[in-house]
Amino acid sequence: MSDLIRRLQAAMPAGIKPKFTTPEEWQAWQLEQGRKDSERIAELNRVNRLQKILGRSGIQELHRACSFQNYNAELPGQRNALDKAKRYASEFGSRFGGFIFSGGCGTGKNHLAAAIGNHLLSKNKSVLVVTVPDLMMRFRETYQDGAKVSEADLMNDLCNVDLLILDDIGVQRGNQNEEIVLFQIVDRRLSAKKPVGMLTNLDVEKLTALLTERIMDRMRMDGGMWINFDWPSYRKNVRSGPTNLEE
Ligand SMILES: Nc1ncnc2c1ncn2[C@@H]1O[C@H](COP(=O)(O)OP(=O)(O)O)[C@@H](O)[C@H]1O
Ligand SMILES: [Mg+2]
């Protein structure tokens, strides 16, 4: 082996520092590479499996272009939301606290959540944004005869992504099964110190009634944050804004 290293060194251009100079260093480097590769492969498999189950990537096409840069923060509340979302993304991994964006339709909850998600995807983290109605449909599919994916598989995959964002919580009238599934996902993730993001038009009281006090307490732990998106819908701006054809 040392012969190989000597030959490799001889072939190296002058001024280039080799990653290893002894067989021991070479062996350690090989081991480290192997460990990194297997971690990356496990992660890829998880992401691929999710794509197979949900038939799409972690962030819907519609929100792939959402970033912090193209979020327009004119109102103080929007600036606060933008700052906190940015900080959440840059500090991701140091704490397991989640986030809850609460507010009306078109206020930019999905935009900022996708901006966080896109930032994390660029850092090779796995992210999944899924609406609760869609999720419930996937769970119902697992209960059918001949289902390709078991309920346990789906649950495992949802619990393994680095960040899971549950969208449209409370949009449909919850049934008991929905509440149990939601509770299980959130409870399992938070017990494993994996964060959950939530997008909802419910206020604190209604969300607490849906998810229970226990889940809400966990959501607040370790840097968890609640942001009210209490400004008008942005969709009006989109129609009569800077792209106005009359200009
Ligand atoms: N402050 C903002 N700056 C730029 N675009 C925004 C802003 N708020 C919302 N949007 C855009 O408006 C549309 C609706 O926002 P969305 O995030 O889907 O709202 P919500 O999830 O709260 O219903 C999206 O296309 C989004 O990118
Ligand atoms: Mg939305």
Side-chain angles (χ1 to χ4, degrees):
M1 198 177 343
S2 50
D3 193 41
L4 172 71
I5 289 174
R6 226 174 297 117
R7 270 188 286 138
L8 277 174
Q9 279 173 345
M12 255 188 209
I16 303 268
K17 199 180 169 310
K19 280 201 166 61
F20 36 80
T21 48
T22 66
E24 290 73 27
E25 276 177 21
W26 181 76
Q27 234 161 11
W29 183 80
Q30 287 281 325
L31 276 175
E32 177 63 12
Q33 290 304 306
R35 193 188 55 74
K36 277 189 193 155
D37 282 351
S38 61
E39 269 177 14
R40 201 172 43 80
I41 289 165
E43 187 55 41
L44 270 177
N45 280 341
R46 257 198 323 254
V47 173
N48 286 345
R49 216 161 53 216
L50 267 177
Q51 287 191 344
K52 229 187 269 161
I53 292 172
L54 298 173
R56 60 173 178 85
S57 61
I59 294 180
Q60 297 276 43
E61 195 52 41
L62 180 68
H63 295 117
R64 288 310 295 259
C66 292
S67 67
F68 298 124
Q69 286 75 28
N70 63 19
Y71 180 81
N72 207 344
E74 281 169 12
L75 303 165
Q78 289 173 323
R79 274 197 293 279
N80 174 54
L82 175 63
D83 287 347
K84 287 194 171 143
K86 265 190 191 167
R87 194 168 344 124
Y88 187 86
S90 66
E91 289 175 0
F92 188 84
S94 57
R95 288 179 297 186
F96 68 91
F99 59 84
I100 302 175
F101 295 168
S102 159
C105 199
T107 51
K109 301 184 296 296
N110 271 94
H111 188 118
L112 277 187
I116 292 173
N118 286 324
H119 174 88
L120 296 180
L121 285 176
S122 78
K123 305 275 174 216
N124 292 324
K125 301 281 180 201
S126 52
V127 177
L128 176 67
V129 188
V130 65
T131 69
V132 173
D134 186 17
L135 199 58
M136 291 309 135
M137 197 183 73
R138 306 295 167 177
F139 272 102
R140 278 197 299 276
E141 282 170 4
T142 67
Y143 310 142
Q144 283 163 7
D145 285 341
K148 287 192 201 80
V149 179
S150 73
E151 184 193 2
D153 285 343
L154 180 55
M155 192 59 99
N156 276 338
D157 285 344
L158 291 168
C159 292
N160 279 331
V161 284
D162 294 317
L163 177 63
L164 177 68
I165 300 175
L166 298 171
D167 187 14
D168 284 343
I169 299 186
V171 158
Q172 58 183 19
R173 270 202 65 78
N175 58 39
Q176 236 187 343
N177 190 37
E178 178 175 323
E179 287 170 28
I180 292 168
V181 168
L182 267 188
F183 182 88
Q184 276 181 358
I185 295 170
V186 176
D187 188 55
R188 255 190 66 176
R189 284 190 61 91
L190 297 183
S191 301
K193 304 208 165 170
K194 290 208 163 208
V196 178
M198 297 182 173
L199 314 182
T200 184
N201 55 6
L202 301 179
D203 60 18
V204 180
E205 259 173 37
K206 292 204 178 94
L207 192 65
T208 309
L210 180 69
L211 296 179
T212 76
E213 214 35 272
R214 191 171 141 229
I215 292 283
M216 292 299 281
D217 278 348
R218 291 231 182 143
M219 286 296 294
R220 287 188 204 101
M221 279 163 68
D222 209 32
M225 60 183 184
W226 176 290
I227 301 179
N228 280 320
F229 283 53
D230 51 3
W231 44 83
S233 168
Y234 193 82
R235 289 184 216 267
K236 290 186 211 93
N237 291 359
V238 173
R239 273 194 294 274
S240 61
T243 51
N244 198 329
L245 291 175
E246 283 158 19
E247 276 182 309

